[in-house]
Amino acid sequence: MSSQIIPVDPFDYVVFGGTGDLAERKLLPALYHRQLDGQLSDPTRIIGASRADMSHEEYRAFAQAALKEHLKPGEYEDGQIKIFTDRLFYASVDAKSEKGWDKLKALLDEGKDRIRAFYLAVAPAIFGDISEKIRDHKLITKNTRIVVEKPIGRDLASALELNDMIGKVFREEQVFRIDHYLGKETVQNLMALRFANALYEPLWNSAHIDHVQITVAESVGLESRAGYYDKAGALRDMVQNHILQLLCLVAMEVPPSMESESVRDEKLKVLRALKRIDASNVEQLTVRGQYRAGASSGGPVKGYLDELEGGVSNTETFVAIKAEIGNWRWAGVPFYIRTGKRMAGRMSEIVITFKQIPHSIFDAAAGRIQSNQLIIRLQPDEGVKQSLMIKDPGPGGMRLRNVSLDMSFAEAFKARNADAYERLLLDVIRSNQTLFMRRDEVEAAWKWVDPILKAWETTGQQAQGYTAGTWGPSQSIALIERDGRTWHEVI
Ligand code: BG6
């Protein structure tokens, strides 16, 4: 059965930061794909907004060039591009002054009854200004939502401030905080795997699971984002949001339904149950790393410090953490998480390792019995693998072998792998918040991350060097091997 495409009601998407990198690389291509699949209804409009002076025509030309660059060959169809660019409009507005707001209002008034979404693809520093302008110019209708991108704060205090600023203008059910990992197909599949099969749930606890690994490895380096990244580091950039969200989906209790509050209530409980890491245990439970010169994607690459102006920084481009969840289901089950730039390849996966069998009936000649592993591959090559011990076929007695039931989604479904933003952008229009972070989740995640950041500062824990193109510093290997386990590393 192939997926069903249900058109959404007409909408006006106003993208602040409409000429920025996110709009160009992700948002415009995602909306174009939804049009290709017949999901946009007339008279849907996309209104780019930013400070630059630009006519509607110039914005259409900008978008056309962006699509040309970012679509795959064959996806750029002249007829469809024309229909898409006809949907585009532009408003030059200044978040800090009155400039342009009346014009934007006049443009929006042409579609007063349409669903309206404001997408803030801009620096969080101006989230508050834009929200207030939207309110002061009476742009909020009964069918309006606002979408914000991470980073939502750089610690708990700044996240509270940002959430308060937005909360002064919008009700929580109008606020969509994007974590694009939640829009990834395999991440949603995690819920299908757990809650649409009777097989795993009875085993999904500390009685049967030995440990969980979550790896989000990237091969890219700084990608001209030094200004942002050097102030953030891997813990804020990847763990506070994406990786903790993945951990929540693995660890949460079965929600009563897929309804957004049910799912988010369960995720919140996991975040609140994470055991505190602070100066007393930070050195045993965390590893910070920073890449040095090495090789990536077949060529030599510079080290992190060589990419930075000034060349001095203790910011981590890699982090590994042994986390634990203090509740009955997970007591004593470590969750090893790690992420880094310039690692051995681009690979994100979740590995659930089950406990060893309690007693073997086979003799030594049968070989070692390995623990079963369930491997959920997020990217690339999305899929699920379940390792099992089987008898080696043929004569020669009972010899055991570890094999995988291996399902690659690309092979099984022959479907295009939609970008996470495609799903999420339209969930906003459908007003479905299940795959978005609620305010209390963001704050609970910071409550766990803040003491780690503080402990790194007070203990002076350094980022350990690792060669670009490897799996991170040796201390990360030691972190898991101390417990008699190893990282799962297959590219
Ligand atoms: C972003 C981070 O949120 O996610 C980036 O800011 C990172 O540093 C990116 O590269 C990874 O996303 P994906 O979808 O390429 O895995």
Side-chain angles (χ1 to χ4, degrees):
M1 195 171 67
S2 64
S3 63
Q4 226 190 336
I5 309 264
I6 303 170
V8 296
D9 291 337
F11 58 81
D12 278 344
Y13 238 115
V14 183
V15 182
F16 292 97
T19 54
D21 187 59
L22 186 73
E24 190 180 329
R25 281 190 310 120
K26 294 285 183 185
L27 307 182
L28 291 169
L31 289 165
Y32 173 76
H33 273 295
R34 292 301 88 225
Q35 174 186 295
L36 275 187
D37 280 348
Q39 225 167 353
L40 306 190
S41 320
D42 289 331
T44 283
R45 296 186 298 180
I46 298 145
I47 302 170
S50 76
R51 267 205 320 214
D53 283 319
M54 224 185 231
S55 64
H56 299 315
E57 273 317 313
E58 282 167 330
Y59 190 59
R60 290 175 186 139
F62 160 84
Q64 192 169 345
L67 292 171
K68 193 148 233 166
E69 186 178 341
H70 296 289
L71 294 176
K72 296 209 176 79
E75 294 174 348
Y76 187 98
E77 295 171 24
D78 289 332
Q80 288 288 345
I81 291 285
K82 169 82 176 77
I83 299 172
F84 186 73
T85 52
D86 282 351
R87 298 187 188 286
L88 299 179
F89 294 84
Y90 183 75
S92 165
V93 290
D94 181 5
K96 303 259 183 203
S97 77
E98 289 303 308
K99 190 181 157 232
W101 290 92
D102 287 339
K103 270 197 178 160
L104 176 59
K105 178 169 172 54
L107 190 60
L108 285 172
D109 279 349
E110 291 169 21
K112 264 193 179 138
D113 301 326
R114 245 168 260 170
I115 296 167
R116 186 174 291 179
F118 295 105
Y119 197 117
L120 270 47
V122 292
I126 58 172
F127 281 3
D129 294 317
I130 295 185
S131 304
E132 283 172 12
K133 287 278 186 294
I134 290 174
R135 177 192 58 203
D136 296 347
H137 289 270
K138 305 203 170 17
L139 303 184
I140 306 174
T141 61
K142 62 177 186 337
N143 241 336
T144 294
R145 309 102 166 81
I146 186 160
V147 189
V148 290
E149 272 281 334
K150 66 173 264 276
I152 299 175
R154 48 175 289 104
D155 53 19
L156 178 60
S158 51
L160 286 168
E161 214 178 294
L162 273 177
N163 280 334
D164 281 346
M165 278 192 297
I166 297 167
K168 268 196 220 150
V169 178
F170 295 94
R171 295 189 312 276
E172 181 62 25
E173 63 270 25
Q174 296 176 307
V175 184
F176 289 73
R177 294 179 192 81
I178 285 218
D179 184 314
H180 78 279
Y181 267 59
L182 293 181
K184 288 183 191 274
E185 200 63 28
T186 328
V187 176
Q188 295 169 60
N189 238 313
L190 191 54
M191 284 193 272
L193 204 66
R194 283 193 63 192
F195 307 135
N197 295 288
L199 199 62
Y200 288 113
E201 208 44 37
L203 305 178
W204 212 256
N205 55 50
S206 61
H208 302 284
I209 291 180
D210 177 73
H211 74 282
V212 176
Q213 295 182 21
I214 302 178
T215 296
V216 178
E218 296 189 272
S219 51
V220 294
L222 263 182
E223 295 185 295
S224 34
R225 293 164 81 219
Y228 154 75
Y229 194 87
D230 196 51
K231 289 200 199 78
L235 183 64
R236 288 188 178 94
D237 184 50
M238 295 295 287
V239 176
Q240 188 274 342
N241 35 78
H242 307 322
I243 294 191
L244 286 185
Q245 285 294 320
L246 296 180
L247 181 142
C248 284
L249 293 178
V250 173
M252 70 184 183
E253 294 300 318
V254 189
S257 75
M258 276 295 280
E259 192 264 323
S260 63
E261 297 313 312
S262 307
V263 173
R264 299 191 301 176
D265 285 347
E266 295 310 331
K267 287 197 290 165
L268 180 66
K269 288 183 203 158
V270 175
L271 291 167
R272 289 188 172 157
L274 280 167
K275 285 199 179 169
R276 185 179 165 89
I277 299 179
D278 57 23
S280 67
N281 53 6
V282 77
E283 275 156 325
Q284 294 87 59
L285 300 178
T286 72
V287 173
R288 309 178 66 219
Q290 190 184 74
Y291 63 83
R292 305 283 182 250
S296 180
S297 312
V301 293
K302 286 185 185 170
Y304 180 72
L305 298 180
D306 308 319
E307 287 187 56
L308 279 187
E309 244 174 69
V312 185
S313 169
N314 185 32
T315 297
E316 78 285 355
T317 61
F318 172 97
V319 62
I321 301 178
K322 177 181 173 184
E324 271 191 70
I325 299 168
N327 63 19
W328 275 37
R329 189 189 276 258
W330 295 115
V333 179
F335 282 67
Y336 300 96
I337 60 188
R338 63 179 171 163
T339 181
K341 301 277 182 201
R342 289 280 188 241
M343 290 181 65
R346 179 170 186 258
M347 189 276 277
S348 302
E349 65 178 22
I350 299 168
V351 182
I352 316 287
T353 303
F354 292 88
K355 291 204 159 151
Q356 288 276 356
I357 51 161
H359 163 75
S360 174
I361 59 167
F362 304 100
D363 60 28
R368 194 167 77 84
I369 298 182
Q370 295 180 32
S371 305
N372 300 125
Q373 284 188 319
L374 172 67
I375 301 165
I376 300 153
R377 173 72 75 117
L378 269 49
Q379 56 192 28
D381 313 325
E382 289 78 357
V384 178
K385 269 189 207 176
Q386 172 64 67
S387 76
L388 294 172
M389 296 305 298
I390 57 138
K391 179 193 169 295
D392 216 357
M398 180 64 92
R399 275 173 289 108
L400 297 170
R401 218 163 89 178
N402 193 22
V403 294
S404 283
L405 295 179
D406 189 350
M407 185 171 84
S408 146
F409 293 158
E411 277 172 33
F413 300 112
K414 311 264 181 261
R416 186 182 72 88
N417 185 16
D419 187 80
Y421 280 93
E422 295 181 35
R423 163 83 195 242
L424 297 175
L425 282 168
L426 291 205
D427 273 358
V428 172
I429 302 302
R430 289 184 280 254
S431 204
N432 181 353
Q433 288 187 314
T434 306
L435 300 177
F436 294 81
M437 292 180 295
R438 205 167 56 191
R439 173 180 183 146
D440 47 11
E441 283 182 79
V442 175
E443 293 169 5
W446 279 120
K447 271 190 195 145
W448 185 69
V449 165
D450 261 12
I452 302 177
L453 288 166
K454 188 139 173 264
W456 282 348
E457 227 176 271
T458 50
T459 60
Q461 192 172 329
Q462 295 300 301
Q464 312 291 332
Y466 63 96
T467 306
T470 65
W471 287 102
S474 55
Q475 288 81 352
S476 148
I477 299 167
L479 176 82
I480 192 165
E481 292 197 346
R482 270 202 299 273
D483 296 342
R485 303 175 173 115
T486 51
W487 291 111
H488 183 257
E489 275 161 15
V490 184
I491 289 279

